[in-house]
Each structure stands twice: as structure tokens, then as C-alpha cells.
Amino acid sequence: MTTTDPAGLTVPGEEELRTFEELAVAVALEAGRLIVDERPADLGVASTKSSATDVVTVMDQRAQELIRTRLQEARPQDGFLGEEEPGTSGRSRVTWVVDPIDGTVNYLYAIPAYAVSVAAVVGDPTTPGAWRPVAGAVVNPVSGQLFHARLGGGAHLRVGEGTSRPLGVAQPPRLGQALAGTGFGYGAERRLWQARVLTEVLPHVRDIRRIGSAALDICSVALGTLDCYFERGLNPWDLAAAWLVLTESGGLFTGLDGGAPDPALVVGAAAPLHGELSELVRRAVEVAGEE
Ligand code: LIP
């Protein structure tokens, strides 16, 4: 039985949500095996997007094609939005939002911090505030960490062949003791602005970690290996599944104003740290000025 959420979005019933979560897990795991097992020794850059450092590898493309194929086999009526190609609308209310390799630069450099992110969402994922994730999975195929969640069903972590355990955010530290994750875009002007914001944030937190995968950053807040996270410029595929993992773990994941996550800036943490970090980043953005 479907329900309607406060934003007016139609949410599938529990049984369908379970099916979506299981499908996201299976497809993310299979794509994770592909990008590790078949990573060419001479992996290079197949193409670039927004700048010379915004790279795509042949494995990004192969992983996305595998994911798209599996999802269309299972759910041909659904839409698809992947990082490496334009989206396609479906006949159902559901769109699969996919990042075949989140942390592509880490993957290119064989730094073991990248993820496959697969999420089922309702609404329009290209319009901030007009969509929400309802099931999803994020897998780091090197560490074997699999984060998965469904709306109202909690978030879980499975490592390797182990069993899944529930995730729940702990009482967070105060801002000055918080380990904060963040990331940087691919354009020089964006990075200059992000450096200005970082200059205002860094003296007020325990420390900063720039892991290089937004999906893993956000899941790390749910796991407790980061206390909080903020970043400007994320795309729906970077955050769709991890957003649900964090909120189903009891955390908050919003835009800077506390509303829906927005490419302008996202903040993730448990309350009350979420509010403290949001206020600090608001002040930092004012000092940093226009990008
Ligand atoms: C990456 C994000 C990361 C951000 C990078 C990049 P990609 O996604 O996960 O948090 O800081 O600039 O956007 O491009 O590796 O899929």
C-alpha cells in the first residue's frame, strides 16, 4: 500500500521498498565486483567532463552499463539517472539514481576509497526539493563495506560475507571536537571558493577529512567514522543512497537552510551538531562571498 510523505510524494509500500533495497544491494555488489576484478592494469582516462580533472574511466562506463542493464531487467517501467549519461524517464513513479564509481579520482589512483551507489527515488531527482530516496545501497568494493537502507526500515552495514547490523548515529560531540568530512569540486573558481569556506571552518572543528567520495563520507557519518559532513556541488547520484543511509540511522541530511539537500550545500550530522555545523558554514559562506 503506498503512502504520501509530507512533501506530497507517493512512497511505495513496505513490501515494494524491501524489493527495491534488495535489488539495490545486489546490483551495487555486482558492479563493485566488476570494477575491482576487471580494473585494467593500465587504467587511464577515457574522457573528461566539467574540467580536465573531472575524469571518466572505461570502468565508470562499464559499471553504469551493467547497473542499467540489471535494473531494466528487473524494473523496466522505472526511470534511470546515471552520472555518465543523460537520464531516461519511466512509466512508474520510481527513478533509479546511480553513481557507478563515486570517487573516480581515487579509483584512477588505486586509493581504496570509492563506492558504487544505487538508489531508488520518488519524485524528480533533477529538481532539488522535489524528490527523496526510498531505498538504496552504497558499497566500497575494496573494504567490503555495504551500507543499505529503505525508508522506514532502518539502515544497515554488512562487511564482506558477514551479516548486516543496524546503524544508529551516536550522540555527537560539540563542534570543536567534531571530525568533519568535506570535498572539493573540479573547477578552479569553485575550489577557490571552497578553500575560503574551509579557512573559516577549520579553526572551529577537531579536524577535516577529505576522503574523496561523497557517498562514503555521508555513510561514514552514519557509521561514526566521521562526526559530520558538508560540501557544495554534489549531484543527485553522489548523495541519493547515502542520504537515506544517514537519515535512517537517525542523522540529519539537509541543505544549508535545513530544507531538502541542495547542490548549493549539504550538511550531514546528528542533532545538535547538525545545527552547530550549519551555523558555522553559514557564517563561512558569508565571509567567502560569491563564488
Ligand atoms: C566526487 C564526490 C566527492 C567530491 C568530488 C567528486 P565523483 O564524485 O564524491 O565528494 O568532492 O569532487 O564530485 O566525481 O568521483 O563521482
Side-chain angles (χ1 to χ4, degrees):
M1 178 187 76
T2 63
T3 58
T4 303
D5 83 347
L9 295 170
T10 301
V11 175
E14 166 65 10
E15 188 175 332
E16 206 170 13
L17 292 177
R18 282 180 184 274
T19 302
F20 292 169
E21 184 180 15
E22 289 165 3
L23 180 56
V25 165
V27 169
L29 286 172
E30 184 179 1
R33 287 191 295 272
L34 172 76
I35 66 177
V36 168
D37 296 347
E38 300 193 26
R39 184 185 188 282
D42 60 348
L43 179 70
V45 175
S47 62
T48 60
K49 296 181 290 188
S50 62
S51 75
T53 57
D54 186 0
V55 299
V56 181
T57 72
V58 64
M59 296 309 293
D60 290 88
Q61 295 162 334
R62 286 188 60 194
Q64 179 159 287
E65 190 49 38
L66 170 67
I67 293 166
R68 173 194 272 277
T69 300
R70 292 288 184 266
L71 291 174
Q72 283 188 331
E73 287 166 352
R75 297 279 304 179
Q77 68 273 35
D78 295 347
F80 183 88
L81 176 62
E83 177 171 21
E84 309 310 343
E85 65 180 67
T88 53
S89 56
R91 304 183 304 279
S92 75
R93 298 188 185 96
V94 176
T95 300
W96 291 88
V97 178
V98 169
D99 194 338
I101 303 178
D102 185 58
T104 298
V105 173
N106 284 352
Y107 182 72
L108 183 65
Y109 281 77
I111 297 171
Y114 47 88
V116 177
S117 178
V118 179
V121 312
V122 293
D124 173 9
T126 64
T127 305
W131 64 286
R132 68 162 311 139
V134 294
V138 175
V139 65
N140 176 335
V142 181
S143 70
Q145 287 177 313
L146 165 67
F147 300 88
H148 57 100
R150 67 177 182 275
L151 188 61
H156 294 80
L157 169 64
R158 185 198 314 174
V159 181
E161 298 304 316
T163 56
S164 290
R165 67 173 179 85
L167 283 173
V169 290
Q171 178 69 21
R174 297 304 302 272
L175 188 62
Q177 298 300 310
L179 187 62
T182 193
F184 309 118
Y186 292 114
E189 286 305 307
R190 168 63 55 84
R191 295 168 70 81
L192 180 60
W193 183 88
Q194 288 170 318
R196 290 195 191 106
V197 169
L198 186 62
T199 300
E200 298 301 319
V201 169
L202 186 58
H204 301 284
V205 295
R206 172 191 291 275
D207 204 347
I208 290 287
R209 291 293 182 270
R210 198 282 196 250
I211 294 168
S213 163
L216 292 182
D217 285 333
I218 301 163
C219 288
S220 295
V221 177
L223 180 58
T225 49
L226 285 177
D227 294 310
C228 53
Y229 167 78
F230 68 99
E231 186 165 353
R232 164 171 285 192
L234 294 191
N235 291 297
W237 45 79
D238 294 319
L239 57 79
W243 165 6
L244 190 64
V245 168
L246 180 49
T247 53
E248 285 295 316
S249 301
L252 298 172
F253 189 71
T254 71
L256 190 53
D257 60 357
D262 186 302
L265 227 143
V266 292
V267 179
L273 177 59
H274 178 275
E276 293 176 311
L277 179 63
S278 296
E279 180 52 34
L280 173 62
V281 173
R282 272 194 292 271
R283 291 201 304 271
V285 166
E286 283 174 16
V287 172
E290 290 301 310
E291 185 173 320

XYZ file of all heavy atoms in Angstrom, residues 49 54-55 60 83-84 99 101-106 182-186 191 210 212-215 217 229 231 233-235 237-238, ligand 1:
267
model
N 34.860 15.670 -18.209
C 33.542 16.314 -18.261
C 33.678 17.810 -18.008
O 34.062 18.555 -18.894
C 32.580 15.618 -17.278
C 32.312 14.159 -17.666
C 31.346 13.455 -16.742
C 31.923 13.195 -15.366
N 31.037 12.328 -14.524
N 38.028 16.348 -14.111
C 36.737 15.654 -13.876
C 36.681 14.451 -14.802
O 36.116 14.504 -15.890
C 35.581 16.615 -14.168
C 34.225 16.008 -13.795
O 34.206 14.855 -13.312
O 33.200 16.696 -14.003
N 37.274 13.350 -14.386
C 37.584 12.258 -15.318
C 36.516 11.159 -15.321
O 35.758 10.986 -14.374
C 38.951 11.633 -14.963
C 40.059 12.661 -15.072
C 38.920 10.995 -13.586
N 34.001 3.287 -15.249
C 32.776 4.044 -14.916
C 31.682 3.674 -15.910
O 30.526 3.404 -15.551
C 33.017 5.559 -15.014
C 33.907 6.117 -13.929
O 35.142 6.109 -14.124
O 33.387 6.557 -12.880
N 25.331 8.960 -13.536
C 26.305 10.046 -13.682
C 26.859 10.127 -15.095
O 27.142 11.222 -15.594
C 27.477 9.846 -12.723
C 28.546 10.934 -12.906
C 29.626 10.930 -11.853
O 29.816 9.884 -11.203
O 30.255 11.985 -11.661
N 26.979 9.000 -15.746
C 27.732 9.000 -17.020
C 26.859 9.109 -18.260
O 27.331 8.890 -19.367
C 28.627 7.757 -17.094
C 29.503 7.511 -15.890
C 30.321 8.743 -15.439
O 30.466 9.701 -16.231
O 30.775 8.748 -14.296
N 25.447 6.230 -9.192
C 26.827 6.650 -9.441
C 27.655 5.378 -9.537
O 27.897 4.715 -8.528
C 27.358 7.552 -8.317
C 28.649 8.272 -8.732
O 29.329 7.774 -9.662
O 28.969 9.310 -8.127
N 30.809 4.803 -10.102
C 32.016 4.902 -9.266
C 32.026 6.306 -8.661
O 32.321 7.284 -9.352
C 33.320 4.671 -10.053
C 33.328 3.319 -10.770
C 34.515 4.752 -9.080
C 34.581 3.063 -11.605
N 31.683 6.386 -7.385
C 31.767 7.678 -6.686
C 33.136 7.720 -6.028
O 33.461 6.888 -5.181
C 30.668 7.798 -5.635
C 30.680 9.169 -5.004
O 30.554 10.161 -5.730
O 30.844 9.249 -3.771
N 33.934 8.737 -6.440
C 35.327 8.756 -6.028
C 36.203 8.277 -7.168
O 37.148 7.528 -6.983
N 35.837 8.733 -8.359
C 36.526 8.246 -9.565
C 38.021 8.524 -9.538
O 38.830 7.697 -9.972
C 35.900 8.885 -10.820
O 34.533 8.487 -10.915
C 36.620 8.456 -12.076
N 38.409 9.688 -9.013
C 39.848 10.001 -8.954
C 40.568 9.023 -8.031
O 41.669 8.552 -8.327
C 40.071 11.463 -8.516
C 41.547 11.749 -8.283
C 39.515 12.430 -9.581
N 39.932 8.663 -6.912
C 40.534 7.637 -6.031
C 40.679 6.324 -6.785
O 41.701 5.632 -6.669
C 39.675 7.427 -4.782
C 39.822 8.552 -3.768
O 40.671 9.429 -3.900
N 38.967 8.534 -2.759
N 34.563 16.710 4.101
C 34.127 17.606 3.038
C 34.798 17.187 1.738
O 35.539 16.206 1.691
C 34.432 19.083 3.361
O 33.726 19.944 2.437
C 35.927 19.369 3.261
N 34.487 17.922 0.695
C 35.092 17.616 -0.602
C 35.150 18.867 -1.462
O 34.620 19.910 -1.082
N 35.799 18.740 -2.597
C 36.032 19.888 -3.469
C 35.646 19.554 -4.900
O 35.785 18.413 -5.351
C 37.511 20.295 -3.398
C 38.016 20.477 -1.994
C 39.039 19.681 -1.494
C 37.434 21.403 -1.149
C 39.497 19.829 -0.195
C 37.876 21.554 0.166
C 38.913 20.773 0.641
N 35.177 20.566 -5.598
C 34.732 20.375 -6.981
C 35.895 20.307 -7.946
O 37.068 20.258 -7.546
N 35.556 20.335 -9.223
C 36.571 20.155 -10.266
C 36.947 21.454 -10.978
O 37.842 21.479 -11.807
C 36.056 19.169 -11.308
C 35.928 17.758 -10.793
C 34.689 17.148 -10.662
C 37.063 17.039 -10.428
C 34.578 15.848 -10.189
C 36.962 15.743 -9.959
C 35.712 15.155 -9.835
O 35.594 13.871 -9.364
N 36.789 25.651 -6.466
C 37.779 25.234 -5.478
C 38.321 26.419 -4.692
O 38.559 26.326 -3.477
C 38.900 24.459 -6.175
C 38.400 23.146 -6.769
C 39.438 22.522 -7.698
N 40.585 22.015 -6.956
C 40.593 20.836 -6.331
N 39.514 20.073 -6.346
N 41.661 20.433 -5.686
N 39.186 14.766 3.915
C 38.734 14.856 2.538
C 38.964 13.475 1.924
O 40.021 13.193 1.388
C 39.534 15.935 1.795
C 38.852 16.406 0.510
C 39.038 15.417 -0.665
N 38.723 16.007 -1.936
C 37.675 15.726 -2.697
N 36.822 14.779 -2.302
N 37.456 16.346 -3.829
N 37.222 11.811 -0.519
C 37.178 11.787 -1.979
C 36.001 11.064 -2.566
O 35.912 10.893 -3.779
N 35.062 10.634 -1.704
C 33.802 10.055 -2.161
C 32.692 10.565 -1.256
O 32.652 10.223 -0.067
C 33.854 8.526 -2.094
O 32.547 7.982 -2.153
N 31.794 11.324 -1.831
C 30.700 11.890 -1.016
C 29.844 10.780 -0.425
O 29.430 10.851 0.731
C 29.839 12.810 -1.869
N 29.582 9.750 -1.229
C 28.744 8.654 -0.740
C 29.378 8.006 0.486
O 28.690 7.742 1.490
C 28.532 7.622 -1.856
N 31.626 9.479 2.440
C 31.626 10.498 3.513
C 30.322 10.455 4.303
O 30.307 10.428 5.528
C 31.764 11.895 2.899
C 33.173 12.217 2.419
O 34.145 11.660 2.957
O 33.293 13.047 1.489
N 29.544 16.293 8.056
C 29.971 16.422 6.660
C 29.286 17.634 6.048
O 28.115 17.935 6.365
C 29.601 15.149 5.897
C 29.698 15.242 4.397
C 30.935 15.171 3.759
C 28.563 15.425 3.616
C 31.039 15.254 2.372
C 28.655 15.515 2.241
C 29.893 15.426 1.624
O 29.979 15.521 0.262
N 29.409 19.888 2.035
C 30.018 20.048 0.713
C 29.082 20.810 -0.207
O 27.857 20.738 -0.075
C 30.374 18.692 0.091
C 31.141 18.840 -1.222
C 31.837 17.578 -1.706
O 31.874 16.560 -0.981
O 32.347 17.614 -2.840
N 28.069 21.366 -4.274
C 28.239 20.924 -5.653
C 27.949 19.468 -5.918
O 28.272 18.951 -6.984
N 27.314 18.797 -4.944
C 27.007 17.386 -5.168
C 25.857 17.228 -6.159
O 24.924 18.032 -6.200
C 26.656 16.688 -3.857
C 27.775 16.558 -2.829
C 27.332 15.608 -1.730
C 29.065 16.086 -3.450
N 25.939 16.160 -6.917
C 24.869 15.777 -7.836
C 23.985 14.733 -7.183
O 24.405 14.080 -6.207
C 25.479 15.217 -9.131
C 26.184 16.285 -9.929
O 25.568 17.238 -10.393
N 27.509 16.140 -10.071
N 23.309 11.754 -7.915
C 23.897 10.416 -7.874
C 24.981 10.294 -6.799
O 25.212 9.214 -6.282
C 24.447 10.013 -9.240
C 25.240 11.076 -9.925
C 26.535 11.428 -9.679
C 24.767 11.965 -10.953
N 26.894 12.476 -10.475
C 25.833 12.821 -11.280
C 23.554 12.101 -11.643
C 25.734 13.803 -12.268
C 23.447 13.092 -12.610
C 24.520 13.914 -12.915
N 25.645 11.410 -6.456
C 26.650 11.354 -5.382
C 26.011 11.011 -4.042
O 26.623 10.389 -3.180
C 27.347 12.715 -5.237
C 28.197 13.107 -6.436
O 28.903 12.236 -6.986
O 28.144 14.291 -6.813
C 33.144 13.061 -6.255
C 32.433 13.251 -4.938
C 33.342 13.979 -3.950
C 33.632 15.333 -4.483
C 34.378 15.174 -5.785
C 33.551 14.382 -6.812
P 32.883 11.619 -8.460
O 32.307 12.395 -7.144
O 32.039 12.023 -4.427
O 32.756 14.127 -2.690
O 34.375 16.054 -3.560
O 34.663 16.458 -6.280
O 32.407 15.108 -7.146
O 33.151 12.696 -9.471
O 34.122 10.912 -8.081
O 31.772 10.695 -8.882
